[in-house]
Amino acid sequence: MRIRELLEVLQGKVLVENHGLDEEIPLGGAADLMSDVLAFATEGTVLMTGLTNPQVVRTAEMAGINVIVFVRDKKPPPETIELARDSGMTLVSTAYTMYEACGRLYAAGLPGRGRIKIENGSW
Amino acid sequence: MVDQEITKVQELIYTTKVEAVMAPDVIVVSPSMSMTQVKELMRKRRIAGAPVADGDKVLGMLGTTEVMTAMEAGKMDSVASENMVTDVKIVSKDAYLVEVINLLGREGFPRLPVEDQDGKLVGILTTGTVIKALLHQMEISYQQREAERLQRYRASHIFQDIISDDTSLVLRYIVDDKDFANAGKASSMIKKSLQRVGVLPSIVRRVAVAVYEAEMNLVIHTDVGGEIIVDIRRERVHISAVDHGPGIEDLEQVLRPGYSTAPEWIRDMGFGAGMGLSNIKRCADTMKILSTRGGGTRLDIIFLLNQDSPG
């Protein structure tokens, strides 16, 4: 799915633009737990989250994520915006809840990771 | 970003010649064609207008407006030369785009015939052909920029340039305790450095995730901060996160997924779910943790560079 299409589906607003709207997003994922993000995200995943602190941007950067969507119309603080600008992250905000944002994207054809087998642990 | 691209367009307008942005295969209307034939030609070839030419000499221009006018007047049987617009502006293929761009558009001509030095019709210029060509060139320049970025001096040369039995590059990063504003900065720098050294992207990602978890541990749990040391060799990256904090009370428990001693406010930030060490273990090829109560903690993680095993 292209970023442009994602914006339409979520009726989203771009807060920080670091990627062309025609760039492809291969997968979607959602989490408020940063360790979860680090565990499931693969290169290029779009992250839906309700957290807006700068660590979300850092975490996404480490996980190879390019686009973060803040759900429920949450506005990130200036530090988060600034860090996103510096680290090349694209930020989007949508008024939909986490559940609905994910549901709409999934219904529009954006896949997730499927079932994840975690080794070395039971979480 | 947007500002840059506008400058790029302006630059292109000044440096691009008409020849590069015109459509080279001109569809021409002969002066004796009937307006019905012209209409059919325009419909079939999906064009909105064409020059009327006798051989290579342009006599006038015909567009949808002229066809509509003829249609309204019931003059579809009349010939092209009677209906064409004779106020024609012909441009040279060697002119720069900046010289001709203002002739086009709402206020100017819908299309401009292009001729060579000998006055021969060689192309046609419309806002459409200009936009298409500019977009194409912007894409090329973007690709060139990307290629240049990738070909920038690769620090990986250090392993070929420096002569030794085994070269190693050691990077040190200081991590401050409870400094959330900067937490993750070291990991970010490590990620960029490994990219520059030429480590495979899939491995860089695993290292980034592991080192970020380790850095967050230093920030959250140590009370004194610590140090991250990255030792890069040709065949492996060895990362140590060292602190002189309170140490870990029960090592076995800490390694169990879901176990966490993080305070509530840390959890509110999305951390402290007790997954850090499991995440590190999952990403690394080897993980070793040493800790003594009151004597600090040392975490060693190793990534092999010649393969791409876990993750």
Side-chain angles (χ1 to χ4, degrees):
Chain A
M1 177 181 287
R2 291 173 184 212
I3 296 178
R4 184 186 306 283
E5 219 181 312
L6 171 130
L7 291 172
E8 278 166 27
V9 171
L10 297 179
Q11 293 168 35
K13 207 173 69 200
V14 177
L15 305 176
V16 176
E17 186 174 341
N18 271 312
H19 295 86
L21 296 186
D22 284 320
E23 267 185 50
E24 276 289 332
I25 309 164
L27 288 173
D32 281 348
L33 213 48
M34 291 303 106
S35 277
D36 258 347
V37 176
L38 294 173
F40 77 66
T42 53
E43 211 66 34
T45 305
V46 53
L47 171 69
M48 256 66 67
T49 186
L51 287 180
T52 57
N53 63 59
Q55 288 313 316
V56 176
V57 177
R58 280 274 187 242
T59 305
E61 184 191 353
M62 290 308 124
I65 286 167
N66 298 327
V67 183
I68 302 173
V69 176
F70 296 114
V71 298
R72 221 158 53 70
D73 221 11
K74 291 190 183 172
K75 298 279 177 289
E79 309 90 82
T80 302
I81 302 270
E82 202 179 312
L83 187 59
R85 284 210 181 98
D86 291 347
S87 58
M89 194 69 57
T90 289
L91 302 184
V92 172
S93 105
T94 176
Y96 286 110
T97 60
M98 180 99 104
Y99 174 74
E100 232 175 318
C102 296
R104 291 178 72 90
L105 287 176
Y106 193 79
L110 182 71
R113 271 289 303 271
R115 290 155 70 103
I116 304 180
K117 194 174 154 211
I118 302 286
E119 281 152 36
N120 305 329
S122 57
W123 46 274
Chain B
M1 181 77 186
V2 172
D3 289 356
Q4 259 175 15
E5 292 306 332
I6 288 171
T7 330
K8 187 73 207 167
V9 172
Q10 286 168 337
E11 185 194 317
L12 282 172
I13 288 174
Y14 278 94
T15 55
T16 306
K17 288 193 172 182
V18 167
E19 191 176 15
V21 294
M22 69 184 191
D25 307 310
V26 199
I27 297 158
V28 192
V29 170
S30 77
S32 58
M33 269 169 96
S34 74
M35 288 308 276
T36 309
Q37 285 173 311
V38 172
K39 178 185 67 112
E40 276 307 299
L41 178 79
M42 282 168 50
R43 196 172 59 87
K44 252 193 214 145
R45 306 297 295 269
R46 291 164 174 251
I47 52 171
V52 181
D54 191 7
D56 278 330
K57 188 166 164 45
V58 177
L59 307 170
M61 299 295 285
L62 270 179
T64 38
T65 316
E66 285 70 48
V67 172
M68 285 194 294
T69 312
M71 211 179 266
E72 275 172 4
K75 287 169 55 186
M76 290 304 279
D77 292 335
S78 63
V79 293
S81 55
E82 284 173 38
N83 294 279
M84 67 191 184
V85 178
T86 49
D87 176 22
V88 184
K89 180 78 190 163
I90 299 173
V91 296
S92 160
K93 76 177 174 66
D94 296 318
Y96 282 100
L97 192 48
V98 62
E99 301 169 49
V100 304
I101 192 99
N102 289 329
L103 295 170
L104 281 169
R106 203 176 281 272
E107 301 294 318
F109 300 87
R111 55 192 59 77
L112 302 166
V114 182
E115 62 177 20
D116 62 8
Q117 301 92 319
D118 306 325
K120 191 174 161 239
L121 179 65
V122 288
I124 192 149
L125 199 66
T126 69
T127 20
T129 67
V130 171
I131 289 170
K132 205 169 144 191
L134 284 185
L135 285 176
H136 181 65
Q137 293 203 11
M138 278 168 70
E139 197 186 318
I140 290 173
S141 80
Y142 172 75
Q143 283 166 354
Q144 278 168 348
R145 271 208 312 272
E146 282 292 289
E148 277 166 23
R149 198 175 58 80
L150 289 174
Q151 275 170 10
R152 218 170 39 154
Y153 171 75
R154 286 275 288 275
S156 56
H157 294 173
I158 193 169
F159 291 105
Q160 281 113 54
D161 293 351
I162 305 292
I163 304 163
S164 78
D165 287 335
D166 191 4
T167 303
S168 116
L169 181 65
V170 180
L171 320 171
R172 288 187 187 80
Y173 301 87
I174 305 296
V175 179
D176 289 329
D177 160 61
K178 306 289 181 287
D179 181 9
F180 266 97
N182 286 311
K185 219 174 184 172
S187 307
S188 178
M189 289 190 281
I190 291 168
K191 183 178 182 182
K192 289 193 185 93
S193 304
L194 291 179
Q195 282 167 339
R196 293 226 42 201
V197 174
V199 176
L200 275 177
S202 55
I203 298 178
V204 170
R205 198 185 153 277
R206 278 166 43 208
V207 177
V209 168
V211 84
Y212 181 60
E213 291 279 18
E215 185 178 359
M216 290 315 290
N217 280 347
L218 292 180
V219 174
I220 296 168
H221 297 292
T222 59
D223 300 333
V224 287
E227 196 181 15
I228 297 178
I229 303 144
V230 183
D231 179 335
I232 308 164
R233 291 197 190 166
R234 203 192 297 263
E235 80 288 359
R236 59 135 185 81
V237 176
H238 180 157
I239 295 170
S240 315
V242 184
D243 71 76
H244 300 289
I248 297 169
E249 246 177 71
D250 188 339
L251 256 180
E252 220 168 287
Q253 209 168 19
V254 145
L255 286 168
R256 197 182 313 141
Y259 178 82
S260 177
T261 57
E264 199 54 37
W265 66 277
I266 296 284
R267 294 172 193 243
D268 286 345
M269 291 182 74
F271 292 93
M275 281 148 61
L277 285 171
S278 331
N279 254 354
I280 294 173
K281 203 169 167 191
R282 189 174 52 86
C283 290
D285 285 302
T286 349
M287 175 180 102
K288 213 163 67 190
I289 187 161
L290 288 170
S291 189
T292 38
R293 273 187 78 175
T297 302
R298 179 186 177 98
L299 173 76
D300 283 286
I301 38 182
I302 294 174
F303 298 84
L304 304 176
L305 299 182
N306 300 325
Q307 56 179 72
D308 184 15
S309 48

